[in-house]
Amino acid sequence: METIIEIKDLTFGYSSDQEVLKNINLSINKGEWITILGHNGSGKSTLSKLLIGLLKARNGTIRVDGLLLDENTVYDIRKKIGIVFQNPDNQFVGVTVRDDIAFGLENLQIEREEMIERIDSFSKKVDMFEYLNKEPQQLSGGQKQRVAIAGILAMETDVIIFDEATSMLDPKGRRKIMEYMRKLNEEGTTIITITHDMKEAVESDRIVVLKDGKILKTDTSTNVLNDKATLEQSNLELLLPLELLYYLNENHVDRKELKDYLWQLSLSE
Amino acid sequence: MAIKFERVSYQYQSIDKRGYLAIEDVTLSIAGEGEFITLIGETGSGKSTLVQHMNALLQPTEGRMNLFGIKIDKDTKRQKKVKLNPIRKQVGLVFQFPEYQLFEETVQKDIIFGPRNFGVSEAEAIKRAKEVIKVVGLDESYLKRSPFNLSGGEKKRVSIAGILAMEPDILILDEPTSGLDPMGRNALLKVFNDIHEKLNKTVLIITHDMNTVYEYAKRVLVMREGVLVYDGDPLQLFSRRNIENWNLETPEILKLQKALQSKFNIEIDNYPRSKKALFEAVKEGVKQ
């Protein structure tokens, strides 16, 4: 399998006496859907900022599609990786929704005709087409978040990082974005979801659990979702059906078909 | 009633002069103590606009409000003599991502900023800071720290403490747990429950998390396209058939209860109020 992102011995701290990320090694395959799961303060957002060169590593290297990330390559790398942040207010740059979506495309020097087409089609994908002429202060938090997502999707990068990008969406909006992630992934886009929501992690191929800046575990999603000890250590929660399954085991309740069903339920989210 | 809305509508102005109606014809009352309310609805349904009326940050473009005895309608803005400050003290509003509004060098300075602004003496404000920091589940040592070196969950707690220090009767929080990990979220919900139960304040939370609605709230308001479509008991809301039409999710506990009941012949209470109650019911049900 082809590697798209290769992280080696990555260490980072905001000040000299602290280390937010410690010796991270991770390689992500082309077309993979990977979840970085971790508690608040585990370093997961810092990792995403390092990946797009918003922060500079203290030690170690990041390669994207073979290209070593440094001052000279950072702009080329940002054409390959798009990121949607948690708080849309931090990335709304346009005067209107249309301008905001256009911003990233202008940076990529997309032709005007093509740009108009992409703005229309991607704003429709997140149900914000009718809002193209609105100003950000007329939008709710969740609507701004959808605009931010459309802006990144329109850039059609090889890799998209969703950094708690659905935190402000209502359930319907969240499901829509999840469906869209699934579709993008099927079409070959590499997806990195950064979250502490187990439901967002269910669909990914692999889960990396971060704790206090270190990788605690990397495994298939199924194995991590079922690993109560690891999740508890990381301030995370089992999905409810699995929690019930553990509870029944602890209470020596034996009914195989019930337990099988609970397991199945947890994966069908 | 501390807060009374009578047919309140609000129209936003925009450059194209067309404006748009964010809330329409909302009538409701909220008591000044002892309520635990959740406000739910899709993004853009008018939830934030609605709560910004509750402390007169926004004023109706149609209809009337009575906030702690002060009458407000579309003409209030022009009548400069109407003092809105007392309302802001009685109704504490915590915005989305309040942690971005911290700005002082120490947590203590941040917390006393609000009360000092309302004319509370420094000594009294510091005394309050020491109390409220405990209410939000942090200890006094935090008061000397810089707010910028705290985790996201701690920053949220500090900003909530800052509002509590003004001693409001009603505390309104706009998506207070978004962005917190499960443990941080549960801890903060417990803080709100304590503020409600031990301090007997009215707490109103805007949320998308139906589990919060189901497990904590005594009353739920549902907004849909600017209209208040439901005001009542959470249990009754979730037992109605059409909640999917309102794009509301079923709480996890109920989803699991329904799935198990339809698949297996287990006797489980139709509306178990907590995880523990559901788990125990399943355990007992299987044994029989």
Side-chain angles (χ1 to χ4, degrees), chain A residues 7-13 17-25 41-43 46-47 50 58-59 210-216:
Chain A
I7 303 169
K8 274 206 175 130
D9 302 324
L10 190 72
T11 299
F12 176 83
D17 58 340
Q18 107 201 124
E19 277 188 353
V20 179
L21 288 173
K22 296 160 201 159
N23 213 25
I24 302 290
N25 284 289
S42 60
T46 303
L47 180 60
L50 284 160
R58 183 177 292 163
N59 276 310
L210 270 188
K211 194 197 174 210
D212 300 328
K214 287 190 200 145
I215 293 185
L216 192 63

PDB file of all heavy atoms in Angstrom, chain A residues 7-13 17-25 41-43 46-47 50 58-59 210-216:
ATOM      1  N   ILE A   7       4.985  10.162   9.424  1.00  0.00           N
ATOM      2  CA  ILE A   7       5.435  10.979  10.554  1.00  0.00           C
ATOM      3  C   ILE A   7       6.517  10.202  11.293  1.00  0.00           C
ATOM      4  O   ILE A   7       6.308   9.048  11.671  1.00  0.00           O
ATOM      5  CB  ILE A   7       4.264  11.272  11.517  1.00  0.00           C
ATOM      6  CG1 ILE A   7       3.125  11.970  10.762  1.00  0.00           C
ATOM      7  CG2 ILE A   7       4.713  12.115  12.702  1.00  0.00           C
ATOM      8  CD1 ILE A   7       1.822  12.060  11.556  1.00  0.00           C
ATOM      9  N   LYS A   8       7.676  10.846  11.479  1.00  0.00           N
ATOM     10  CA  LYS A   8       8.781  10.143  12.149  1.00  0.00           C
ATOM     11  C   LYS A   8       9.313  10.930  13.343  1.00  0.00           C
ATOM     12  O   LYS A   8       9.688  12.088  13.204  1.00  0.00           O
ATOM     13  CB  LYS A   8       9.913   9.903  11.140  1.00  0.00           C
ATOM     14  CG  LYS A   8       9.709   8.629  10.339  1.00  0.00           C
ATOM     15  CD  LYS A   8      11.019   8.053   9.838  1.00  0.00           C
ATOM     16  CE  LYS A   8      10.748   6.717   9.150  1.00  0.00           C
ATOM     17  NZ  LYS A   8      11.369   6.626   7.846  1.00  0.00           N
ATOM     18  N   ASP A   9       9.324  10.276  14.495  1.00  0.00           N
ATOM     19  CA  ASP A   9       9.928  10.825  15.724  1.00  0.00           C
ATOM     20  C   ASP A   9       9.531  12.264  15.992  1.00  0.00           C
ATOM     21  O   ASP A   9      10.354  13.093  16.370  1.00  0.00           O
ATOM     22  CB  ASP A   9      11.463  10.744  15.652  1.00  0.00           C
ATOM     23  CG  ASP A   9      11.933   9.317  15.447  1.00  0.00           C
ATOM     24  OD1 ASP A   9      11.293   8.410  16.017  1.00  0.00           O
ATOM     25  OD2 ASP A   9      12.907   9.103  14.698  1.00  0.00           O
ATOM     26  N   LEU A  10       8.268  12.567  15.800  1.00  0.00           N
ATOM     27  CA  LEU A  10       7.798  13.946  15.899  1.00  0.00           C
ATOM     28  C   LEU A  10       7.626  14.375  17.355  1.00  0.00           C
ATOM     29  O   LEU A  10       6.946  13.730  18.135  1.00  0.00           O
ATOM     30  CB  LEU A  10       6.462  14.075  15.165  1.00  0.00           C
ATOM     31  CG  LEU A  10       5.926  15.480  14.964  1.00  0.00           C
ATOM     32  CD1 LEU A  10       6.755  16.215  13.908  1.00  0.00           C
ATOM     33  CD2 LEU A  10       4.472  15.429  14.527  1.00  0.00           C
ATOM     34  N   THR A  11       8.273  15.500  17.688  1.00  0.00           N
ATOM     35  CA  THR A  11       8.162  16.050  19.039  1.00  0.00           C
ATOM     36  C   THR A  11       7.848  17.533  18.921  1.00  0.00           C
ATOM     37  O   THR A  11       8.356  18.213  18.033  1.00  0.00           O
ATOM     38  CB  THR A  11       9.484  15.853  19.818  1.00  0.00           C
ATOM     39  OG1 THR A  11       9.724  14.457  19.905  1.00  0.00           O
ATOM     40  CG2 THR A  11       9.400  16.422  21.214  1.00  0.00           C
ATOM     41  N   PHE A  12       6.965  18.015  19.796  1.00  0.00           N
ATOM     42  CA  PHE A  12       6.614  19.429  19.752  1.00  0.00           C
ATOM     43  C   PHE A  12       6.227  19.936  21.132  1.00  0.00           C
ATOM     44  O   PHE A  12       5.635  19.215  21.940  1.00  0.00           O
ATOM     45  CB  PHE A  12       5.422  19.661  18.802  1.00  0.00           C
ATOM     46  CG  PHE A  12       4.950  21.080  18.794  1.00  0.00           C
ATOM     47  CD1 PHE A  12       5.588  22.031  18.013  1.00  0.00           C
ATOM     48  CD2 PHE A  12       3.901  21.483  19.603  1.00  0.00           C
ATOM     49  CE1 PHE A  12       5.185  23.361  18.030  1.00  0.00           C
ATOM     50  CE2 PHE A  12       3.484  22.824  19.629  1.00  0.00           C
ATOM     51  CZ  PHE A  12       4.125  23.762  18.839  1.00  0.00           C
ATOM     52  N   GLY A  13       6.573  21.200  21.424  1.00  0.00           N
ATOM     53  CA  GLY A  13       6.122  21.858  22.642  1.00  0.00           C
ATOM     54  C   GLY A  13       5.932  23.326  22.354  1.00  0.00           C
ATOM     55  O   GLY A  13       6.610  23.890  21.502  1.00  0.00           O
ATOM     56  N   ASP A  17       9.891  24.141  28.220  1.00  0.00           N
ATOM     57  CA  ASP A  17       9.794  23.215  29.355  1.00  0.00           C
ATOM     58  C   ASP A  17       8.632  22.237  29.229  1.00  0.00           C
ATOM     59  O   ASP A  17       8.295  21.534  30.163  1.00  0.00           O
ATOM     60  CB  ASP A  17       9.670  24.010  30.668  1.00  0.00           C
ATOM     61  CG  ASP A  17       8.463  24.944  30.654  1.00  0.00           C
ATOM     62  OD1 ASP A  17       7.972  25.252  29.543  1.00  0.00           O
ATOM     63  OD2 ASP A  17       8.017  25.350  31.737  1.00  0.00           O
ATOM     64  N   GLN A  18       7.967  22.225  28.074  1.00  0.00           N
ATOM     65  CA  GLN A  18       6.836  21.313  27.986  1.00  0.00           C
ATOM     66  C   GLN A  18       6.859  20.553  26.648  1.00  0.00           C
ATOM     67  O   GLN A  18       7.418  21.053  25.655  1.00  0.00           O
ATOM     68  CB  GLN A  18       5.522  22.098  28.204  1.00  0.00           C
ATOM     69  CG  GLN A  18       4.790  22.258  26.984  1.00  0.00           C
ATOM     70  CD  GLN A  18       3.775  23.225  26.647  1.00  0.00           C
ATOM     71  OE1 GLN A  18       3.996  23.888  25.662  1.00  0.00           O
ATOM     72  NE2 GLN A  18       2.663  23.264  27.343  1.00  0.00           N
ATOM     73  N   GLU A  19       6.312  19.358  26.641  1.00  0.00           N
ATOM     74  CA  GLU A  19       6.199  18.595  25.403  1.00  0.00           C
ATOM     75  C   GLU A  19       4.745  18.200  25.201  1.00  0.00           C
ATOM     76  O   GLU A  19       4.195  17.427  25.971  1.00  0.00           O
ATOM     77  CB  GLU A  19       7.084  17.343  25.459  1.00  0.00           C
ATOM     78  CG  GLU A  19       8.509  17.646  25.092  1.00  0.00           C
ATOM     79  CD  GLU A  19       9.378  16.402  24.940  1.00  0.00           C
ATOM     80  OE1 GLU A  19       8.907  15.291  25.254  1.00  0.00           O
ATOM     81  OE2 GLU A  19      10.517  16.563  24.495  1.00  0.00           O
ATOM     82  N   VAL A  20       4.143  18.740  24.168  1.00  0.00           N
ATOM     83  CA  VAL A  20       2.740  18.446  23.881  1.00  0.00           C
ATOM     84  C   VAL A  20       2.630  17.139  23.084  1.00  0.00           C
ATOM     85  O   VAL A  20       1.687  16.377  23.248  1.00  0.00           O
ATOM     86  CB  VAL A  20       2.094  19.614  23.106  1.00  0.00           C
ATOM     87  CG1 VAL A  20       0.645  19.307  22.773  1.00  0.00           C
ATOM     88  CG2 VAL A  20       2.193  20.893  23.922  1.00  0.00           C
ATOM     89  N   LEU A  21       3.612  16.916  22.224  1.00  0.00           N
ATOM     90  CA  LEU A  21       3.672  15.652  21.486  1.00  0.00           C
ATOM     91  C   LEU A  21       5.052  15.040  21.696  1.00  0.00           C
ATOM     92  O   LEU A  21       6.058  15.735  21.631  1.00  0.00           O
ATOM     93  CB  LEU A  21       3.429  15.892  19.989  1.00  0.00           C
ATOM     94  CG  LEU A  21       1.993  16.245  19.585  1.00  0.00           C
ATOM     95  CD1 LEU A  21       1.942  16.633  18.116  1.00  0.00           C
ATOM     96  CD2 LEU A  21       1.034  15.081  19.856  1.00  0.00           C
ATOM     97  N   LYS A  22       5.044  13.750  21.967  1.00  0.00           N
ATOM     98  CA  LYS A  22       6.302  13.094  22.278  1.00  0.00           C
ATOM     99  C   LYS A  22       6.568  11.928  21.344  1.00  0.00           C
ATOM    100  O   LYS A  22       5.822  10.943  21.367  1.00  0.00           O
ATOM    101  CB  LYS A  22       6.287  12.568  23.727  1.00  0.00           C
ATOM    102  CG  LYS A  22       6.176  13.667  24.760  1.00  0.00           C
ATOM    103  CD  LYS A  22       5.681  13.106  26.093  1.00  0.00           C
ATOM    104  CE  LYS A  22       5.090  14.242  26.923  1.00  0.00           C
ATOM    105  NZ  LYS A  22       4.189  13.783  27.954  1.00  0.00           N
ATOM    106  N   ASN A  23       7.534  12.071  20.489  1.00  0.00           N
ATOM    107  CA  ASN A  23       8.027  10.955  19.720  1.00  0.00           C
ATOM    108  C   ASN A  23       6.924  10.203  18.958  1.00  0.00           C
ATOM    109  O   ASN A  23       6.749   9.007  19.113  1.00  0.00           O
ATOM    110  CB  ASN A  23       8.711   9.987  20.691  1.00  0.00           C
ATOM    111  CG  ASN A  23       9.856   9.296  20.016  1.00  0.00           C
ATOM    112  OD1 ASN A  23      10.414   9.840  19.048  1.00  0.00           O
ATOM    113  ND2 ASN A  23      10.194   8.100  20.479  1.00  0.00           N
ATOM    114  N   ILE A  24       6.200  10.938  18.137  1.00  0.00           N
ATOM    115  CA  ILE A  24       5.095  10.336  17.383  1.00  0.00           C
ATOM    116  C   ILE A  24       5.613   9.692  16.097  1.00  0.00           C
ATOM    117  O   ILE A  24       6.319  10.328  15.317  1.00  0.00           O
ATOM    118  CB  ILE A  24       4.040  11.412  17.013  1.00  0.00           C
ATOM    119  CG1 ILE A  24       3.498  12.107  18.251  1.00  0.00           C
ATOM    120  CG2 ILE A  24       2.910  10.817  16.169  1.00  0.00           C
ATOM    121  CD1 ILE A  24       2.622  11.264  19.133  1.00  0.00           C
ATOM    122  N   ASN A  25       5.272   8.433  15.912  1.00  0.00           N
ATOM    123  CA  ASN A  25       5.567   7.728  14.663  1.00  0.00           C
ATOM    124  C   ASN A  25       4.273   7.172  14.108  1.00  0.00           C
ATOM    125  O   ASN A  25       3.560   6.456  14.788  1.00  0.00           O
ATOM    126  CB  ASN A  25       6.535   6.575  14.910  1.00  0.00           C
ATOM    127  CG  ASN A  25       7.942   7.072  15.118  1.00  0.00           C
ATOM    128  OD1 ASN A  25       8.594   7.527  14.186  1.00  0.00           O
ATOM    129  ND2 ASN A  25       8.390   7.037  16.368  1.00  0.00           N
ATOM    130  N   GLY A  41      -6.705  18.160  25.311  1.00  0.00           N
ATOM    131  CA  GLY A  41      -5.342  18.354  25.775  1.00  0.00           C
ATOM    132  C   GLY A  41      -4.415  17.189  25.478  1.00  0.00           C
ATOM    133  O   GLY A  41      -3.278  17.154  25.939  1.00  0.00           O
ATOM    134  N   SER A  42      -4.890  16.200  24.700  1.00  0.00           N
ATOM    135  CA  SER A  42      -4.040  15.039  24.404  1.00  0.00           C
ATOM    136  C   SER A  42      -3.010  15.355  23.326  1.00  0.00           C
ATOM    137  O   SER A  42      -2.074  14.596  23.106  1.00  0.00           O
ATOM    138  CB  SER A  42      -4.897  13.854  23.958  1.00  0.00           C
ATOM    139  OG  SER A  42      -5.617  14.185  22.790  1.00  0.00           O
ATOM    140  N   GLY A  43      -3.192  16.474  22.634  1.00  0.00           N
ATOM    141  CA  GLY A  43      -2.240  16.858  21.587  1.00  0.00           C
ATOM    142  C   GLY A  43      -2.760  16.609  20.182  1.00  0.00           C
ATOM    143  O   GLY A  43      -2.048  16.815  19.205  1.00  0.00           O
ATOM    144  N   THR A  46      -2.927  19.773  18.018  1.00  0.00           N
ATOM    145  CA  THR A  46      -1.554  20.198  17.749  1.00  0.00           C
ATOM    146  C   THR A  46      -0.973  19.374  16.608  1.00  0.00           C
ATOM    147  O   THR A  46      -0.318  19.907  15.705  1.00  0.00           O
ATOM    148  CB  THR A  46      -0.690  20.012  19.024  1.00  0.00           C
ATOM    149  OG1 THR A  46      -1.290  20.758  20.076  1.00  0.00           O
ATOM    150  CG2 THR A  46       0.727  20.480  18.801  1.00  0.00           C
ATOM    151  N   LEU A  47      -1.245  18.087  16.620  1.00  0.00           N
ATOM    152  CA  LEU A  47      -0.751  17.217  15.555  1.00  0.00           C
ATOM    153  C   LEU A  47      -1.278  17.675  14.192  1.00  0.00           C
ATOM    154  O   LEU A  47      -0.538  17.740  13.214  1.00  0.00           O
ATOM    155  CB  LEU A  47      -1.170  15.761  15.845  1.00  0.00           C
ATOM    156  CG  LEU A  47      -0.732  14.721  14.823  1.00  0.00           C
ATOM    157  CD1 LEU A  47       0.788  14.669  14.690  1.00  0.00           C
ATOM    158  CD2 LEU A  47      -1.255  13.331  15.208  1.00  0.00           C
ATOM    159  N   LEU A  50       0.544  20.696  12.993  1.00  0.00           N
ATOM    160  CA  LEU A  50       1.892  20.360  12.515  1.00  0.00           C
ATOM    161  C   LEU A  50       1.833  19.794  11.099  1.00  0.00           C
ATOM    162  O   LEU A  50       2.676  20.081  10.264  1.00  0.00           O
ATOM    163  CB  LEU A  50       2.542  19.342  13.461  1.00  0.00           C
ATOM    164  CG  LEU A  50       3.056  19.920  14.783  1.00  0.00           C
ATOM    165  CD1 LEU A  50       3.227  18.815  15.817  1.00  0.00           C
ATOM    166  CD2 LEU A  50       4.382  20.654  14.586  1.00  0.00           C
ATOM    167  N   ARG A  58       9.603  20.457  16.826  1.00  0.00           N
ATOM    168  CA  ARG A  58      10.877  20.645  17.519  1.00  0.00           C
ATOM    169  C   ARG A  58      11.879  19.608  17.010  1.00  0.00           C
ATOM    170  O   ARG A  58      13.029  19.899  16.747  1.00  0.00           O
ATOM    171  CB  ARG A  58      10.674  20.486  19.024  1.00  0.00           C
ATOM    172  CG  ARG A  58      11.925  20.723  19.829  1.00  0.00           C
ATOM    173  CD  ARG A  58      11.642  20.621  21.314  1.00  0.00           C
ATOM    174  NE  ARG A  58      10.790  21.717  21.762  1.00  0.00           N
ATOM    175  CZ  ARG A  58      10.123  21.696  22.910  1.00  0.00           C
ATOM    176  NH1 ARG A  58      10.184  20.640  23.701  1.00  0.00           N
ATOM    177  NH2 ARG A  58       9.380  22.722  23.251  1.00  0.00           N
ATOM    178  N   ASN A  59      11.378  18.405  16.860  1.00  0.00           N
ATOM    179  CA  ASN A  59      12.201  17.308  16.331  1.00  0.00           C
ATOM    180  C   ASN A  59      11.367  16.450  15.411  1.00  0.00           C
ATOM    181  O   ASN A  59      10.145  16.436  15.523  1.00  0.00           O
ATOM    182  CB  ASN A  59      12.694  16.410  17.464  1.00  0.00           C
ATOM    183  CG  ASN A  59      13.933  16.965  18.102  1.00  0.00           C
ATOM    184  OD1 ASN A  59      14.890  17.315  17.408  1.00  0.00           O
ATOM    185  ND2 ASN A  59      13.893  17.072  19.414  1.00  0.00           N
ATOM    186  N   LEU A 210      -4.481   8.871  21.267  1.00  0.00           N
ATOM    187  CA  LEU A 210      -3.445   9.726  21.838  1.00  0.00           C
ATOM    188  C   LEU A 210      -3.760   9.989  23.299  1.00  0.00           C
ATOM    189  O   LEU A 210      -4.909  10.214  23.665  1.00  0.00           O
ATOM    190  CB  LEU A 210      -3.433  11.082  21.137  1.00  0.00           C
ATOM    191  CG  LEU A 210      -2.571  11.321  19.912  1.00  0.00           C
ATOM    192  CD1 LEU A 210      -2.626  12.793  19.558  1.00  0.00           C
ATOM    193  CD2 LEU A 210      -1.136  10.899  20.132  1.00  0.00           C
ATOM    194  N   LYS A 211      -2.723   9.940  24.120  1.00  0.00           N
ATOM    195  CA  LYS A 211      -2.917  10.317  25.517  1.00  0.00           C
ATOM    196  C   LYS A 211      -1.705  11.103  25.989  1.00  0.00           C
ATOM    197  O   LYS A 211      -0.584  10.638  25.828  1.00  0.00           O
ATOM    198  CB  LYS A 211      -3.101   9.067  26.378  1.00  0.00           C
ATOM    199  CG  LYS A 211      -3.625   9.423  27.742  1.00  0.00           C
ATOM    200  CD  LYS A 211      -3.456   8.331  28.758  1.00  0.00           C
ATOM    201  CE  LYS A 211      -3.904   8.911  30.092  1.00  0.00           C
ATOM    202  NZ  LYS A 211      -3.207   8.322  31.194  1.00  0.00           N
ATOM    203  N   ASP A 212      -1.942  12.263  26.545  1.00  0.00           N
ATOM    204  CA  ASP A 212      -0.863  13.119  27.021  1.00  0.00           C
ATOM    205  C   ASP A 212       0.296  13.207  26.028  1.00  0.00           C
ATOM    206  O   ASP A 212       1.467  13.113  26.412  1.00  0.00           O
ATOM    207  CB  ASP A 212      -0.335  12.614  28.381  1.00  0.00           C
ATOM    208  CG  ASP A 212      -1.433  12.614  29.432  1.00  0.00           C
ATOM    209  OD1 ASP A 212      -2.314  13.482  29.353  1.00  0.00           O
ATOM    210  OD2 ASP A 212      -1.412  11.729  30.313  1.00  0.00           O
ATOM    211  N   GLY A 213      -0.042  13.368  24.767  1.00  0.00           N
ATOM    212  CA  GLY A 213       0.986  13.600  23.760  1.00  0.00           C
ATOM    213  C   GLY A 213       1.686  12.359  23.218  1.00  0.00           C
ATOM    214  O   GLY A 213       2.598  12.462  22.401  1.00  0.00           O
ATOM    215  N   LYS A 214       1.286  11.197  23.696  1.00  0.00           N
ATOM    216  CA  LYS A 214       1.906   9.963  23.200  1.00  0.00           C
ATOM    217  C   LYS A 214       0.861   9.067  22.551  1.00  0.00           C
ATOM    218  O   LYS A 214      -0.312   9.117  22.918  1.00  0.00           O
ATOM    219  CB  LYS A 214       2.531   9.182  24.355  1.00  0.00           C
ATOM    220  CG  LYS A 214       3.777   9.784  24.898  1.00  0.00           C
ATOM    221  CD  LYS A 214       4.424   8.789  25.866  1.00  0.00           C
ATOM    222  CE  LYS A 214       5.370   9.522  26.788  1.00  0.00           C
ATOM    223  NZ  LYS A 214       5.389   8.944  28.121  1.00  0.00           N
ATOM    224  N   ILE A 215       1.320   8.232  21.626  1.00  0.00           N
ATOM    225  CA  ILE A 215       0.388   7.272  21.046  1.00  0.00           C
ATOM    226  C   ILE A 215       0.225   6.116  22.028  1.00  0.00           C
ATOM    227  O   ILE A 215       1.176   5.430  22.381  1.00  0.00           O
ATOM    228  CB  ILE A 215       0.890   6.758  19.679  1.00  0.00           C
ATOM    229  CG1 ILE A 215       0.859   7.908  18.663  1.00  0.00           C
ATOM    230  CG2 ILE A 215       0.014   5.604  19.187  1.00  0.00           C
ATOM    231  CD1 ILE A 215       1.218   7.520  17.248  1.00  0.00           C
ATOM    232  N   LEU A 216      -1.014   5.935  22.483  1.00  0.00           N
ATOM    233  CA  LEU A 216      -1.299   4.883  23.458  1.00  0.00           C
ATOM    234  C   LEU A 216      -1.582   3.577  22.722  1.00  0.00           C
ATOM    235  O   LEU A 216      -1.234   2.497  23.171  1.00  0.00           O
ATOM    236  CB  LEU A 216      -2.512   5.306  24.282  1.00  0.00           C
ATOM    237  CG  LEU A 216      -2.866   4.539  25.535  1.00  0.00           C
ATOM    238  CD1 LEU A 216      -1.754   4.647  26.552  1.00  0.00           C
ATOM    239  CD2 LEU A 216      -4.158   5.080  26.130  1.00  0.00           C
TER     240      LEU A 216
END
